Amino acid sequence: GAGVSQSPSNKVTEKGKDVELRCDPISGHTALYWYRQSLGQGLEFLIYFQGNSAPDKSGLPSDRFSAERTGGSVSTLTIQRTQQEDSAVYLCASSQQVQAYNEQFFGPGTRLTVL
Amino acid sequence: SQKIEQNSEALNIQEGKTATLTCNYTNYSPAYLQWYRQDPGRGPVFLLLIRENEKEKRKERLKVTFDTTLKQSLFHITASQPADSATYLCALDPTGGGNKLTFGTGTQLKVEL
């Protein structure tokens, strides 16, 4: 079946511009996660959504970052006024439900480059 | 502070040998630990999960151990093949809730002919 998809695969933007990154989770997965992977760094948790519950935003690095999930499916991560330090690969993952022991299925990521 | 450490240096081994990768953590008491594989330009792929009350877990040529006293997990690939070449990440959830995985930086494995 279809896996997690993300778009665009690559995004180059100028400092100060806003960007939107999209994630389509696996159909039926109620939990959706966003991570960031910088060069030489581990994956950094950003935010997760579970069903209709309020999202856990505790990993967002600043108020320039926001995310929403419409209809319990597609999610958009928005970065406003991008900075060069925002350059990274942004990975989305989904799982069937949020509880211990559930594996997360990752998309291929969006590589963001801020010039 | 809480840390997850994996060997940052790449591990090069010969085909057919056993690869052993290490994951050490400090200031966590995780209920479980997961291992993922990541190929260049792709997202991580789940391999194995081991619970705190399990000493060892196996899946085909893969074996994971979990020592909560040493705060260490070992990941073994037996009869390694060039196709096993990738970066391997360990991850744990400090909250125990399964929704905020914290990942190590990964160890790159290269299996040579």
Side-chain angles (χ1 to χ4, degrees):
Chain A
V4 177
S5 61
Q6 293 186 246
S7 61
S9 55
N10 281 284
K11 176 72 177 178
V12 179
T13 190
E14 292 180 346
K15 178 181 172 181
K17 301 281 190 183
D18 297 351
V19 295
E20 284 189 353
L21 312 180
R22 177 187 168 105
C23 172
D24 284 86
I26 293 173
S27 177
H29 280 191
T30 58
L32 186 147
Y33 316 79
W34 283 97
Y35 294 87
R36 178 168 71 173
Q37 188 173 33
S38 304
L39 191 63
Q41 303 294 316
L43 275 76
E44 175 189 4
F45 166 82
L46 297 177
I47 186 171
Y48 95 89
F49 298 86
Q50 165 58 8
N52 295 321
S53 302
D56 182 335
K57 306 178 183 179
S58 59
L60 295 178
S62 78
D63 58 8
R64 296 186 295 104
F65 289 73
S66 63
E68 61 178 25
R69 188 178 185 192
T70 54
S73 181
V74 172
S75 177
T76 302
L77 178 68
T78 301
I79 309 174
Q80 296 178 310
R81 304 180 303 281
T82 51
Q83 304 294 312
Q84 288 183 330
E85 61 262 28
D86 299 334
S87 296
V89 176
Y90 289 82
L91 289 157
C92 173
S94 69
S95 67
Q96 287 187 313
Q97 55 190 329
V98 176
Q99 66 176 221
Y101 316 151
N102 279 337
E103 65 179 282
Q104 296 183 17
F105 295 81
F106 283 82
T110 293
R111 181 176 297 278
L112 174 66
T113 303
V114 182
L115 301 176
Chain B
S1 61
Q2 296 174 320
K3 282 197 299 185
I4 301 175
E5 294 182 331
Q6 296 184 254
N7 286 347
S8 58
E9 291 184 13
L11 177 62
N12 295 336
I13 64 167
Q14 276 191 320
E15 183 180 20
K17 302 290 186 183
T18 296
T20 298
L21 286 70
T22 304
C23 176
N24 294 299
Y25 58 93
T26 56
N27 296 325
Y28 288 111
S29 295
Y32 65 94
L33 188 145
Q34 299 185 15
W35 282 88
Y36 286 77
R37 168 184 173 142
Q38 187 173 24
D39 291 280
R42 295 179 176 267
V45 174
F46 173 82
L47 296 175
L48 277 171
L49 178 149
I50 186 165
R51 296 177 176 80
E52 60 178 342
N53 61 350
E54 297 176 318
K55 296 292 185 187
E56 182 180 296
K57 198 83 168 278
R58 291 176 185 263
K59 179 182 177 183
E60 297 173 351
R61 295 184 295 111
L62 308 181
K63 184 178 85 171
V64 172
T65 63
F66 194 11
D67 189 325
T68 55
T69 301
L70 291 179
K71 294 187 180 294
Q72 180 181 79
S73 176
L74 299 179
F75 178 82
H76 306 272
I77 306 175
T78 58
S80 60
Q81 305 166 359
D84 295 328
S85 299
T87 296
Y88 292 86
L89 307 167
C90 68
L92 55 84
D93 174 17
T95 69
N99 49 37
K100 287 188 192 178
L101 286 180
T102 300
F103 284 81
T105 54
T107 298
Q108 185 177 5
L109 172 66
K110 184 173 182 181
V111 182
E112 300 166 332
L113 293 170

